[in-house]
Amino acid sequence: MNFAKLNSSSRMIIILILGLILLFRPESALSLLIRVSGICILFIGIIGIFSFFLNKEKNSTSISSLISSVLYFIISLIFLINPSFISSLFPIFMGVVIIFSGIQMLMKSVQIKKILVNDSPTSIVLSVITILLGIFISFHPTFINNVILQTIGLVLIFTAAVGLWISSRRY
């Protein structure tokens, strides 16, 4: 086996393992990702705070840098202490955006229905479905996160399987 095949196979095995983790343990994978992000944000905050105190010149720029560094520090603590809270925010935010989009579409659909009396109710029904899906996403953030991560896991497993198959072929 040559080095290129070994390298490709090793990469595909790592992708396969990551895919399996995302498929079977999505909560753990997301929690780990959030905590690693929290550690990175923590370092940014600490470096900014130390830089402020090591810098002899104090001006409005350095003070605003200190304030943002303290905010980074606080945000990092939230990431590290309560990763499930952070993971639940994204689907809730997206659900609210979808709800508002659905409401806007519903309002437009009602206006169109008033102008075109014989228009089918399809746009109104689809707008209501959009609003209901937004509500579902907002109230089931963990489920939505798991579905997304498991889907990514399945795609990674497929990618690894194809990559390993291609690497195993003689050329």
Side-chain angles (χ1 to χ4, degrees), residues 30-143:
L30 185 58
S31 178
L32 177 65
L33 179 64
I34 290 169
R35 288 183 184 199
V36 168
S37 299
I39 291 169
C40 294
I41 296 168
L42 178 67
F43 282 126
I44 293 169
I46 290 172
I47 290 169
I49 292 169
F50 278 121
S51 295
F52 174 80
F53 289 112
L54 294 175
N55 187 2
K56 293 180 176 132
E57 188 178 324
K58 307 290 188 245
N59 55 33
S60 61
T61 304
S62 64
I63 291 172
S64 68
S65 177
L66 173 66
I67 291 169
S68 66
S69 296
V70 169
L71 287 174
Y72 280 130
F73 183 80
I74 292 168
I75 290 169
S76 73
L77 292 179
I78 295 169
F79 273 60
L80 294 170
I81 293 170
N82 199 351
S84 61
F85 172 72
I86 299 300
S87 69
S88 69
L89 288 181
F90 180 72
I92 291 170
F93 172 75
M94 292 309 299
V96 169
V97 168
I98 292 168
I99 290 167
F100 282 118
S101 295
I103 291 169
Q104 286 179 328
M105 291 186 300
L106 180 61
M107 292 168 54
K108 287 179 187 175
S109 298
V110 169
Q111 287 176 345
I112 292 169
K113 185 73 172 156
K114 286 180 183 176
I115 295 168
L116 304 171
V117 179
N118 294 332
D119 190 40
S120 76
T122 304
S123 61
I124 291 174
V125 171
L126 292 174
S127 300
V128 170
I129 290 171
T130 300
I131 294 168
L132 293 174
L133 288 171
I135 292 169
F136 177 80
I137 289 169
S138 294
F139 287 103
H140 297 89
T142 304
F143 171 77

Side-chain angles (χ1 to χ4, degrees), residues 1-19 156 159-161 163-168:
M1 178 181 269
N2 64 26
F3 181 72
K5 278 188 175 185
L6 179 64
N7 185 25
S8 177
S9 296
S10 300
R11 211 171 349 132
M12 290 304 121
I13 290 171
I14 291 169
I15 289 173
L16 176 65
I17 292 168
L18 180 59
L156 289 174
T159 301
L164 288 169
W165 178 73
I166 290 171
S167 292
S168 71

